[in-house]
Amino acid sequence: MTRPILFSTIALLALGACDDDDTGGGGAADVLRIQPIASVVAGTDANPEVVRFLPGTSDKAIFVASKINSLGVISYDDNGLSIESLTSVPASQYDAGNTHSYLTSIAVAPDGSFVAVARVDTRCPTPANASAALEPGSILFVNPAPPHAIISEVQVGYAPDSLHISADGNWAVVANEADPERSLDDSNL
């Protein structure tokens, strides 16, 4: 039996807004013009999920490739884009070896000093493994440059996703998609 290979891509789009009469009169844009520029293969079965621009640069972005536990840095310009690096994120203190987790989301500090990465723990009870425990995920705070060394890590709720950092860089917020039926005042969360 052959297994299909999925090639995951990232696309670069040019956005332009103009008035409906296209006179450039400075009013609110009535039309948003979107033009595809390029796409690039992120890797076999890489599953790129979230792309963020890197502050302080005019030609770089970072993305999470969830199924291969990697962060990629891309360079872009008017002519296209290319992957500069695709680096495996170091093992979590909660899941040494990355064997039971994958990455779901990223957010970049406004000053570009760190990247927050949501990591989901995939161990969960199944009929075949009823004794397995649902484990909380974590947020890794990593260096934006390869090899993306971990600065800090904090365990959060179950299945963290949709991660954002405040404009001043002092707060991070994450949506935890799974709820193991525990109350908000449970000290185990």
Side-chain angles (χ1 to χ4, degrees):
M1 181 169 126
T2 60
R3 183 175 150 237
I5 296 175
L6 301 176
F7 291 98
S8 304
T9 62
I10 297 173
L12 178 66
L13 306 172
L15 305 177
C18 59
D19 298 330
D20 61 357
D21 62 5
D22 207 16
T23 61
D30 295 315
V31 178
L32 178 63
R33 295 190 178 149
I34 302 171
Q35 177 184 355
I37 301 295
S39 66
V40 64
V41 175
T44 304
D45 293 331
N47 195 31
E49 291 206 22
V50 180
V51 180
R52 300 281 188 243
F53 291 108
L54 284 173
T57 71
S58 61
D59 65 347
K60 297 205 184 328
I62 190 166
F63 69 93
V64 61
S66 66
K67 296 299 180 186
I68 60 173
N69 281 323
S70 296
L71 291 179
V73 176
I74 59 175
S75 294
Y76 59 89
D77 60 26
D78 291 339
N79 298 314
L81 61 103
S82 63
I83 295 179
E84 262 186 32
S85 66
L86 186 61
T87 308
S88 185
V89 173
S92 163
Q93 67 178 331
Y94 302 108
D95 181 20
N98 294 338
T99 57
H100 299 286
S101 64
Y102 65 92
L103 309 176
T104 59
S105 186
I106 59 172
V108 180
D111 65 359
S113 63
F114 66 89
V115 175
V117 183
R119 176 176 275 154
V120 170
D121 189 300
T122 59
R123 290 173 284 198
C124 60
T126 64
N129 188 13
S131 64
L134 181 62
E135 298 291 332
S138 62
I139 303 300
L140 302 170
F141 295 90
V142 302
N143 186 314
H148 308 296
I150 296 175
I151 299 166
S152 181
E153 180 177 15
V154 62
Q155 200 167 33
V156 294
Y158 298 86
D161 200 2
S162 190
L163 178 62
H164 294 278
I165 297 172
S166 65
D168 63 6
N170 290 326
W171 299 92
V173 63
V174 63
N176 295 309
E177 292 182 341
D179 179 2
E181 298 184 20
R182 294 185 181 181
S183 67
L184 290 176
D185 62 352
D186 190 329
S187 62
N188 293 323
L189 289 180

